[in-house]
Amino acid sequence: MDEPTSALSAAEVEVLFRVINELKSRGVSIVYISHKLDELLQIGDYVTVLRDGKLVETARAAGISVTWIIEKMVGKNPAALFSRTEHHVGDVLMKVQDLTLPRPGGGYVVDHVSFELHAGEILGLYGLMGAGRSDVVDCLAGARPEASGKIWLGDLPVLGAAVPERIRNGIVLVPEDRQREGLVQTMSVHDNILLASLKSYLTGFFLVPKKEKEAVKDMVKRLSIRVANVNQPITSLSGGNQQKCVVAKALLTAPRVLMLDEPTRGIDVGAKSEIFEITSRLAEQGYGVIFISTELKEVLAMSDRILVMSKGAITGEFSREGATEEKLVAASAI
C-alpha cells in the first residue's frame, strides 16, 4: 500500500486502519509505505528505512520512535533538519501597498495588504486555511488579474498584471499544488525545467538545444535533483525531486523575488531538509524569499521575519527573535 491515506479524511483513515488490522489477524502480510511517520508506528510491526535506493535499517516498531526514523532517513539528527545558514538582510527589494482581491458577493479575499520584502530575507507567511496567504502570492505572481494595489521592485513600479509580465519583472511563484500548477505531467524532466524560460534559449526563431541542455544540467547539479536521465518523464521522480524541478524552473527565469507556497507539502523528511537548504542558500545569494507554510516549526525555523494573516488581512508581524508558536497562533485567530 503506497501512501494510502494521502487523500482520506480522519474518519476514513480510522476505517482503513481497522481493515488493515482485520487483514493482519487473518494472516495477510502487508507492506505499508507512507511519509506520515506516526502512521508507521501506529499500525506497523516492523519499520524498514530506505535511503537513495539502499536498505538502511529494519527494526521492530515497538522499540523505535519518529526521531529514530527521521535520523535513519536523513542521515542526521532531526534537530538539524532546518538547515539555515546566517545571511545578510539588505535593503528593501519589494514593496507592496494596498494589495486587494475582492470576494465575489462582497468583502475581500485579500484585504488591503501592505508589506516590504528585503533582499536576502526569508519572509515567512503564516495563517490558517483560508486566511489568504496563497491568495496574496497568487496576486503578486499575476495569477489573479482582478486584484488591485501597487508593487515596487527597488525604486521601479511593477507594471503589467499577467503572469508572463510578472516573471519578466522578476517575481515568480512555486505554487502550492505542484502536480496541477507546477508541472506538466506528460512532459520530461528537461522540458518541465525549461518551460518558463524558453525565450532565453532562442536564436532568431529557433531554440538552441546545446544552451538548453547546459541550463538543465546546471540546475540538476545545483539543486541535487536525483534523476537518471533528464529526458525521463517527470512522473518517474519522487515527490521531493519533482518539487526541486519546480524550483529549478522558477530559478531559470532569473527572478529577484521567489515565492514558495507550501514547498514541503507531500514530500518526505529528507527532501524537506533539502528544500530548507535550498531556501537558505537562495537568501544567501540575495534573493527575496516569501516562505509560506502551515507548519509552525517550519515558519519559525526558516524565517527572518514572519507575517501572520487572518481573514485576508495581516494581523501580526514578528521578528525571528520575538516569534513563538503561541504568538503566531493567537494572531492567526483574530
Side-chain angles (χ1 to χ4, degrees):
M1 306 176 75
D2 192 351
E3 298 291 347
T5 64
S6 58
L8 301 183
S9 67
E12 290 170 330
V13 170
E14 188 176 340
V15 171
L16 175 64
F17 287 175
R18 285 204 300 266
V19 171
I20 289 173
N21 287 326
E22 175 65 23
L23 291 172
K24 285 169 58 180
S25 69
R26 296 180 184 179
V28 177
S29 297
I30 297 170
V31 177
Y32 188 94
I33 303 170
S34 179
H35 290 153
K36 299 177 181 179
L37 306 185
D38 54 335
E39 289 184 359
L40 300 178
L41 297 179
Q42 185 177 349
I43 66 169
D45 297 303
Y46 290 87
V47 174
T48 296
V49 178
L50 303 175
R51 186 170 72 242
D52 296 332
K54 297 179 180 179
L55 175 65
V56 176
E57 197 158 342
T58 297
R60 287 189 63 87
I64 61 174
S65 64
V66 169
T67 299
W68 182 93
I69 300 174
I70 292 174
E71 189 166 351
K72 298 303 178 185
M73 290 177 68
V74 183
K76 57 186 176 183
N77 190 286
L81 273 181
F82 299 105
S83 179
R84 185 184 186 281
T85 56
E86 291 305 315
H87 47 266
H88 172 69
V89 176
D91 297 331
V92 173
L93 174 62
M94 181 173 71
K95 183 178 179 181
V96 179
Q97 182 178 321
D98 286 331
L99 187 65
T100 305
L101 180 63
R103 186 188 303 279
Y108 300 102
V109 177
V110 177
D111 190 357
H112 299 84
V113 165
S114 300
F115 64 91
E116 294 178 346
L117 172 68
H118 294 251
E121 180 181 36
I122 300 174
L123 179 64
L125 201 53
Y126 177 75
L128 303 177
M129 192 69 68
R133 303 158 305 133
S134 295
D135 299 292
V136 165
V137 292
D138 283 346
C139 292
L140 295 175
R144 306 297 292 268
E146 67 272 31
S148 62
K150 296 179 180 179
I151 306 169
W152 290 266
L153 272 177
D155 296 325
L156 300 176
V158 174
L159 304 175
V163 172
E165 293 169 315
R166 293 291 166 87
I167 290 176
R168 282 196 295 271
N169 276 290
I171 303 173
V172 68
L173 170 66
V174 173
E176 178 179 7
D177 190 336
R178 65 176 173 272
Q179 300 291 347
R180 291 194 306 168
E181 300 172 0
L183 300 168
V184 179
Q185 303 293 312
T186 56
M187 295 173 67
S188 68
V189 172
H190 173 279
D191 291 344
N192 267 284
I193 290 176
L194 290 172
L195 199 55
S197 57
L198 285 174
K199 286 187 177 180
S200 301
Y201 311 101
L202 283 173
T203 297
F205 294 102
F206 300 98
L207 291 167
V208 182
K210 184 178 179 181
K211 288 176 64 178
E212 291 181 309
K213 289 178 182 177
E214 288 174 351
V216 172
K217 182 180 178 181
D218 178 65
M219 274 298 163
V220 167
K221 181 179 179 180
R222 184 175 165 188
L223 301 185
S224 300
I225 300 172
R226 295 180 181 85
V227 57
N229 187 319
V230 295
N231 294 313
Q232 68 189 70
I234 192 71
T235 51
S236 66
L237 270 60
S238 67
N241 283 295
Q242 288 183 23
Q243 185 71 316
K244 286 192 279 187
C245 286
V246 182
V247 175
K249 180 181 72 172
L251 292 179
L252 279 182
T253 67
R256 299 172 67 188
V257 174
L258 181 66
M259 301 179 291
L260 304 171
D261 192 357
E262 297 286 359
T264 64
R265 176 170 291 174
I267 61 179
D268 65 46
V269 290
K272 284 185 180 184
S273 180
E274 291 179 314
I275 292 294
F276 297 145
E277 289 178 10
I278 291 167
T279 303
S280 188
R281 203 159 65 232
L282 292 173
E284 277 188 279
Q285 295 166 8
Y287 290 87
V289 180
I290 297 178
F291 183 89
I292 298 177
S293 179
T294 49
E295 299 290 334
L296 280 166
K297 286 183 173 58
E298 290 185 3
V299 173
L300 288 166
M302 294 303 299
S303 305
D304 297 299
R305 185 164 51 96
I306 302 170
L307 301 178
V308 181
M309 292 191 66
S310 178
K311 301 174 184 175
I314 293 176
T315 53
E317 179 175 344
F318 303 93
S319 67
R320 175 175 175 79
E321 296 75 20
T324 64
E325 290 192 16
E326 292 77 15
K327 288 180 180 178
L328 297 190
V329 171
S332 69
I334 292 176

